[in-house]
Amino acid sequence: MGYERNDTATDIDLRPIIGLLSNEPEQVVEILTVGAIKKHRKLVDRAERMFQVAHAGDRGGEKEPGDAHLAYLEATIEMHAQMSALTTLLNILGRTPKV
């Protein structure tokens, strides 16, 4: 693969979401943020379950990734992608709502 790893972590607001919600009332943003928090919790649980399954058989020195390992990686990518949207919603709202 021809990419470099970026070891610095920065939060990135998703500009399309900012634009989409720029004229929406706070109540709408809060409803969407609460929904995103709930969804994120489900995705974290799913990724954790996939991790347990993937590492139950420990890949060892296998060259080909197993289905469980790929499912774990996909679940984790989905969780982190959704976290970017959630972080943007929290930044727009300016606070963490009660869930």
Side-chain angles (χ1 to χ4, degrees):
M1 283 185 203
Y3 69 91
E4 292 182 31
R5 292 180 185 243
N6 183 354
D7 291 333
T8 60
T10 57
D11 289 334
I12 299 173
D13 283 332
L14 299 176
R15 294 176 67 102
I17 293 175
I18 293 170
L20 180 67
L21 300 178
S22 64
N23 293 321
E24 295 295 333
E26 182 178 341
Q27 181 182 12
V28 169
V29 177
E30 183 170 355
I31 290 167
L32 293 170
T33 304
V34 168
I37 290 169
K38 290 177 181 178
K39 180 172 185 171
H40 184 70
R41 290 175 180 170
K42 289 178 185 176
L43 292 173
V44 169
D45 289 342
R46 179 174 167 246
E48 178 62 28
R49 284 192 314 274
M50 293 292 132
F51 176 84
Q52 297 301 326
V53 170
H55 290 84
D58 197 71
R59 290 177 53 214
E62 296 177 27
K63 297 204 182 224
E64 292 293 320
D67 290 341
H69 183 70
L70 290 173
Y72 157 68
L73 293 175
E74 288 174 346
T76 302
I77 290 168
E78 184 178 0
M79 176 196 65
H80 285 291
Q82 194 274 340
M83 183 65 202
S84 294
L86 173 55
T87 299
T88 300
L89 288 167
L90 288 167
N91 288 339
I92 292 168
L93 187 60
R95 60 186 171 80
T96 303
K98 290 188 178 190
V99 181

